Amino acid sequence: MKDIREDIAWAKINQDVMKSLENPRKLYWVILFLALAAFGFGVGCEIYQYRTGMGVENVNNPQVWGLYIATFIFWIGMSHSGTLLSAILHLMHADWRKPIYRFAEAMTTFSLMTAGLFVMVHIGRLWQFYYSLPYPNDRGIWPNFQSPLLWDAMAIFTYLSSSVLFLFVGMIPDLAIARDNMQPGWRQKLYTLLALGWEGTDRQWRNFRVTYLTIACFLIPLAVSVHSIVASDFAMSQQPGWHVTSFPPYFVAGALYSGCAAIITLFIILRYVFRFETYMTLPILKKIVRLTFAIAMVWTYLNAVEFAAVWYSHDEASKAVLIQKMTGTYAPFWWGMIFCGSVVPLVFAFKRFQTNIPVLFAVSLLLNLGMWLERWMIVAPTFSHGYYPWTWDHEQWPSLVAWGMVFASFGWFTLLFMIFCKVFPSVSMYEVKEMVYHRTLHLKKSENAEQGAH
Amino acid sequence: MSVSNLLENWAQVRHEHPNNDKPHDPYKWAMAIDLDACTGCNACSIACYAENNIPVVGKERFQHGQQMHWMRVERYWDEDGREFPDQGFQFLPMMCQQCEAAPCETVCPVAATNHTADGLNSQIYNRCIGSRYCSANCPFKVRYFNWYDYPTDEMVWPAEMQQQMNPDVSVRSKGVMEKCTFCVQRLSAAKVKAKGEGRIVAEGEVQTACQQACPTSAISFGNLVNPDSRVHKQWAAQQVELDKDKQAKNEEEEASELRGYRILEELRAYPSVMYLERVRESAV
Amino acid sequence: MYRFLRFPILLVGLFLAASSFAANSSQPALTTEDSLGPQVQQPIEFPHNRHAGLKDASDPAKGGMEINCQYCHTYARRSAVAGIPPLQKCIGCHQNIESVRNKPRIVELFKYWDAKKAVPWKKVHDLPDFVRFNHERHIKRFVEQQDRPVQEACGYCHGDVKEMTVARRQKSLAMGWCASCHEKDHPVVAEGGTPIAGQAYWYSFQKPAAAVDANTKARGPNDCWQCHK
Amino acid sequence: MIDSGSVKQMAGHPFDRRDFLKVLGWSGAAVALSGCGNTSVEDGRETVVSYVEANDYMVPGVGVYFNSTCAQCDAGCSINGRVREGRVLKLEGNPDSAINKGRLCGLGQAGVQHHYNPDRVREPLLRNGNKGEAISWEKAYALIAEKLAGVSGEEIAFLSGGVSGHLKVLLGNYLDSLGTKNHFVYEAIAPSVVRAANLKAFGVEMPRYRFDKAQVVLSFGADFLGSWVSPVHFSQQYAQFRKGVNGQRGVLIQVESKMTLTGANADRWLAVKPGTEGVLALGIINALGMATGEVAELVKGYDKARVSRETGVSTGQIDKIAALLKLRSPSLVLAGNAAEGYAHGSQNAAAINLLNQVLGNVGKTIEAPVSVPFPQMVPSKGNTVALKNMNDGLAAGKYKVVFNFAANPVFTAPGAFKFKDNFAKAGFKVAFAHYLDETALQADLVLPLDSALEDWGTQVPEYMTEGAQINIQQPLMERLHANTRGMGDILLGLIKQKKADEYKGFEDYYAYLRGAVLQNKGALGGGGVEDDTFWNDTLTQGIVKLAGTTTSLAAHASAAGLVLPAAAEADEHFPLHLIPGVTASLRDGRHTNQPWLQESPDPLTTIVWDSWVEIHPKKAAELGIVEGDIVQVTSKTGSVKAQVYLFPGIHPEAISIPVGRGHDAMGRYAKGYGVNPFQIMDAVFEAATGELAMHETRVKISKTGQRVLVVKDEGSAGALQMGRKIAGRVSTDQVDLSKEV
């Protein structure tokens, strides 16, 4: 099995990828419409919430955070896989990442944007959001630099801008291809503008490589720090169940995990919708699946570490939260998370499932569900079982508005993602060419070797 | 205003915990609540509603846990298999403990909750953007969020009832956090009066609404720095020290015969409210 | 040539435009800077300059009468809010001033009086409702304890009222503006004034200095609850 | 208080003060509301509030305090209302009053919500079919005159709650002028049986109890911290009693079948079988062994074993109590609602009073009461016999014109009375009302009353403390609604219809009141003082303190005639006792429409906005009931459905439903919340006094299959602290109270 056929002509690569910008399968439009509808519903929910008050989320006084924060972490987590594929694997010279990193990187950007929306949706006075921005103002005061939430906002903003930059820089040669192959029109103008006059000269390539590498190096610690900081929103607090030392690595692992699962899902969808079977090949999928499996096991291990740490500590309150997770109101969700996050990925251990598209599709969705549940199980039980027993478990079940907003976020993300794939080449053409070239070289080398042996 | 503000004063913002170089002076507002005197009658809580423009949320929202009582009276009994709670209940008025190292203060992204020089944990409504992080990090869960726009709710504040609102206290609209302030509007007025006369506020000159209403005088409130204040005397007599997370009297071998304690003291929030344990007769 | 620069130039341009806008629009108004607030239409155009303005030595009918601000605005030294003098106050003098009795503004004034209706003056210095500004405290501090002239003390926030007819807001009254004064080191007592016991407490978080004298300086209170309610 | 200095300034200007009470251009609400909004600074938009004329003390932004009297219950606490810009904002206790000494309970605090209630009646309303039609006062007066014309005194009935002071005098005069003796003074919840028993035992209806002097208080169901007689005063004494002398802390033992607020504060709470309070009292006398003569004879049969069997209190416990009572003296034994609420309530109370006498408490902790030297102003005490008598009259169709004031019998009469139907038989029904409550809705003419914070009046509390006092009620604010009238003014208007000449000197009730007070200036301690000065001082203080007359106290409780019936056999069909719960904030339901009270959690169950059925967990387990189950509670008279709350503080043979909720009128905050247990109450009467025996209703309960989430403040951990030290507790042998501040 090989990651890609070596006999694809470069022109065909251009042609295939450019085709994805023109006429995808019908399913594309169905997805786009569904996404738009979901997003529209969310906008309606937000308008209602904005005018009525946060109470429509059906959160209450001890349990002040609900689905929004859980989903926020979920989306932040989702963003990590893009960086993993594009930056980390780039540094490790893993060739197989090349056909798929572009959409993964787009996923990073868009899931960050979705996560950012949740910050907005969550705060009680959206119209005063600017209070949290550090800028000189006529009130003469600053935001609180001590608050993990502020670190969070900054980290996310930095990560988002770097991700956008990285996505954009990596796309420049392809944009030039698109510019050269596109009929005159607004698109060509757009590509012309964005291609920054790329000519493909040696000097440009040299600068390009250095820039790309630099940003990749910059992005990796950033990605790790972002989710560590999100973890510190919880770990820096004093609440039982949150005040856990292992939270940052746990969050990072969870992030990579959910990101990989999402990549599998999107891989399968894109492969079908844009007819990318030639590039997004099953061997590549298999590699992602194996990677995901490894991360799933790391995540499971870190889970166990957390439980063990809580159990062996003498912190009764934290222990009570853990027991409550397993046995209390949230038990079905918590066990659901364990099942989806630790048991379901065992399917990946079987070779025959590693390339079975329907199974993988279903499993990847389950993994995502599990990871979403994980986030909810981090947020909710601590609220319902904190230090102060008097306030335990007041009735709190997310309202339709809250669920609507969560579903809408998927709509919003899909919308952005689908539009991106339609407007920009979602498979990196120049890198696939490299890959094919490497493959050819490799073949030649082995042929030579064979011949030499004779 | 300026970067200099940031650079010069930043350290001060979080530097109000009592320590050697900067003790609270001349004020440190504190409370002592005698649980043996508290009968659980709720007068304090209702007085608080009256004084502080607290919205009455109604049955449905109460069911969702969205009640706003800054002062709640909790009720406990021993559930140890006895048929009847034959030693009665234990009541506990719970409100913001005005912690000296308040977990809520550090986490607010916009610094809407801060420590004041006289040892209060201030909440600035108009600065609040409603992230609710403070409440998430409050061990006592005594912060209350405005889930709805109560001032414009006909059921909560019909036009007639709006006339009862205390003009010295902001009416909170949706999306901001609120909590017990130790009736800061009264403190403020008393301080201004005293300042004008070049003295400090005397013991008994200012009362919180709950303290004033309490039929059994279970709540005492005052200036902990002032040795003449009842609160100071009570804290001293009970050997409860503000800046300790473990009181010396509990470290001794013999069990202390004093009943003063602070709730969840071990979390090192250094609450400003001391409770006195409820007493039960051993002879019956 | 340089076509690749177009996009970055666009971005940089956008960023510069946005930030310069932000910087401009959020420029704090400082104590020194006067900006006139909106021209407020009052039911009767009250001539502050005539009442409080400086006397014109040559022609007493022209200049002002140098009436102390507190003569009319009596609440300021007794209450947090300055309030507006009761109509009675205006009438108290004006019923004895025959010379202007038939001037249109005075006629209007007496119309209100006869109907026993309060004049619906419009607020000129309107602070947000979550702000607690205490007039009494500031007058005590500056006029009574530090012996500053009344017009100067009032003018810190109200501007040079004696030059105005209908009062206009002159200071920004924004939070940063208030704080800019509270953050300055001020003398605690007036020159030659008697130090008041414990005075230094009030202006600082610091422990009181051993001796408070005319050189002792301290800042205004700066915890949030001082002004916010 | 902060600006109390102004009170003194105000003293000399009662009439100016009326100006002051005018609402000063009310833009406040709008201002306050925009607080925290986006932009609320709008220079030149808003109008500044100013006076036309002002006195020196009228300073905007400075609150002024006025003394008056709380009208939320009959205890007569003096209040101190904060008034700013003409609006009354908050009520505090008046520190000068011996009754409440500056304190005020939650019910009293909520008095402002009575005043500002949006559901107050604003116009006189005349019935027109099912609707009330607004009419003018002239027309209303004329209508009453017309309806009264040619009606004999026998055919007129006036039902009222307890009244006292000058209003009582005026009301009496009016009824005289109508030639009627049918004044029914009705209070749904009143210690009437105890009063009668006290009269028998001590020679006074309500002696002065000295909790502060007692070392042990043994209370048989008297909820003196919650709703009994004068709770704020008793609470203060309780605080002293707990502190005790020399660190010897007072011990409270509460005996009752359903835990009250007082029971929740007891050192020992004893759940007795419903109705056996008297047996336990006699058992304790027996165990004390201090009795002699006929008392000893009487209690001989009440040995520990029998008493323990009948009451369910263990013999060991009886011994402990007896030992404690012997050891610590003086003590105080009280009989409350729970003891008196049975058909043998008088006997229970007599047995309890006997215990007091045996312990020698009479004269020590039970003192002679004082009363005002004006018998005509002494409160007429409401009871339920009055309601029964009136109901009988109504049923017989005796009355052509019926007046109703300060009572809501349609709501509070036991279901067995069928009061609503009988009420309909009356010819013309006039209700003086603040709200359209159930009774007002049945009336033909509803006359809107001023709130207690708008009206003038005097009040004489039944329970006096140090010396006697007459409480002054005065407006803290001008009328909120232009067309309401004070009860005194209405009575004056009505009485002028009959005796115009006698009353023509009084322009209004204020003038009447002033005249009446000044007439007795000498007796009120104002001899030699100028009229105006005296009147102004009186208003400033809000209280007239008098030496009062002391009734002497006797100790002639005797065993004669004291027979306690054997514990009632369990009724097969209705196996459970229904105990109507009286809560401190809702009482008989007249204040249920004050939202603070609705939202203030019940101290024991923490339930809000709704009624509940208290069941002991053991009993509930037996019946397969869990919290939140909707059960049907059925008595002989009727049935109600309500949610269940499992509550260990109740005897397993009893259930309890709180009274006060379950209105189907009274406006947005009362209507439709909870159920009304009065509806299912049987008409069982106390044997000796004829009072309604409130605790005698037997019920059965059955599940309906529905279940709801109980709306309450406590969380899922319930009353548990889960091992965290939240509410600490020590026993007296582990603590040294002597060094406390």
Side-chain angles (χ1 to χ4, degrees), chain D residues 563-598:
Chain D
V563 186
L564 286 166
E569 288 296 309
D571 186 326
E572 217 174 285
H573 301 291
F574 300 100
L576 296 166
H577 290 257
L578 171 68
I579 299 180
V582 181
T583 62
S585 51
L586 294 181
R587 308 287 175 96
D588 61 357
R590 69 181 69 184
H591 302 300
T592 313
N593 61 350
Q594 292 162 14
W596 289 340
L597 301 180
Q598 280 277 25

Side-chain angles (χ1 to χ4, degrees), chain B residues 160-176:
Chain B
E160 290 87 347
M161 287 204 178
Q162 286 178 6
Q163 302 196 34
Q164 184 271 325
M165 287 174 171
N166 186 352
D168 295 337
V169 179
S170 282
V171 180
R172 286 79 60 184
S173 62
K174 69 179 174 212
V176 298

Side-chain angles (χ1 to χ4, degrees), chain C residues 133-182:
Chain C
F133 177 84
N134 198 319
H135 282 88
E136 180 188 357
R137 186 64 219 127
H138 286 84
I139 291 185
K140 281 248 159 70
R141 164 83 162 86
F142 293 110
V143 179
E144 293 177 21
Q145 289 172 352
Q146 286 205 298
D147 241 0
R148 309 301 309 160
V150 176
Q151 284 194 342
E152 180 196 312
C154 298
Y156 294 154
C157 304
H158 291 290
D160 204 2
V161 178
K162 65 178 185 292
E163 299 293 320
M164 304 177 206
T165 51
V166 170
R168 282 178 83 172
R169 185 165 59 74
Q170 287 209 310
K171 311 289 177 179
S172 89
L173 304 190
M175 175 175 160
W177 177 82
C178 296
S180 68
C181 196
H182 277 238

Side-chain angles (χ1 to χ4, degrees), chain A residues 6-32:
Chain A
E6 65 282 4
D7 56 352
I8 314 173
W10 287 18
K12 186 171 177 339
I13 294 175
N14 282 3
Q15 200 184 355
D16 282 351
V17 175
M18 292 306 292
K19 216 165 67 186
S20 75
L21 305 185
E22 300 290 346
N23 56 341
R25 289 185 208 254
K26 279 215 184 74
L27 184 63
Y28 174 85
W29 300 106
V30 175
I31 292 175
L32 201 67

Side-chain angles (χ1 to χ4, degrees), chain D residues 233-462:
Chain D
H233 178 68
F234 290 154
S235 294
Q236 290 181 328
Q237 289 204 338
Y238 166 83
Q240 275 175 285
F241 152 80
R242 281 305 201 194
K243 282 218 165 54
V245 233
N246 303 329
Q248 178 64 270
R249 176 178 168 276
V251 184
L252 170 63
I253 303 163
Q254 181 89 354
V255 180
E256 58 200 0
S257 312
K258 174 237 172 316
M259 186 181 268
T260 56
L261 186 63
T262 312
N265 285 289
D267 291 281
R268 187 58 66 179
W269 181 79
L270 299 172
V272 288
K273 268 189 198 159
T276 60
E277 288 83 358
V279 176
L280 184 62
L282 295 185
I284 292 173
I285 298 180
N286 186 357
L288 279 171
M290 287 158 68
T292 53
E294 54 164 7
V295 178
E297 197 62 29
L298 171 77
V299 300
K300 207 163 63 182
Y302 292 91
D303 59 274
K304 272 179 291 188
R306 175 188 162 190
V307 171
S308 175
R309 196 173 56 244
E310 286 188 17
T311 61
V313 177
S314 73
T315 52
Q317 199 63 62
I318 297 173
D319 279 340
K320 274 190 189 169
I321 293 173
L324 189 78
L325 284 171
K326 248 190 213 168
L327 188 71
R328 302 199 190 157
S329 180
S331 54
L332 174 60
V333 189
L334 298 168
N337 296 9
E340 68 176 319
Y342 297 90
H344 58 284
S346 285
Q347 305 290 341
N348 272 347
I352 291 161
N353 280 341
L354 195 60
L355 176 55
N356 256 327
Q357 191 168 311
V358 169
L359 288 168
N361 297 334
V362 183
K364 286 184 189 157
T365 55
I366 298 179
E367 289 183 354
V370 279
S371 58
V372 289
F374 309 102
Q376 72 276 22
M377 288 174 69
V378 165
S380 44
K381 291 152 202 151
N383 53 33
T384 47
V385 181
L387 180 72
K388 181 180 182 298
N389 295 341
M390 171 149 176
N391 189 45
D392 291 346
L394 285 169
K398 263 168 70 181
Y399 306 125
K400 290 203 172 132
V401 179
V402 177
F403 295 94
N404 178 63
F405 166 63
N408 186 5
V410 174
F411 179 74
T412 53
F417 276 19
K418 305 220 176 313
F419 187 87
K420 191 173 161 186
D421 301 341
N422 295 334
F423 194 53
K425 291 179 189 163
F428 186 69
K429 303 172 285 288
V430 183
F432 308 93
H434 293 110
Y435 322 104
L436 283 179
D437 57 20
E438 286 80 353
T439 309
L441 275 185
Q442 302 304 319
D444 298 302
L445 178 65
V446 178
L447 299 179
L449 294 178
D450 282 345
S451 81
L453 305 184
E454 297 164 338
D455 204 359
W456 289 98
T458 46
Q459 195 257 8
V460 178
E462 180 196 359

Side-chain angles (χ1 to χ4, degrees), chain A residues 222 226 230 237 281 316 378:
Chain A
L222 204 57
V226 164
V230 172
S237 83
T281 60
E316 288 300 325
I378 287 167

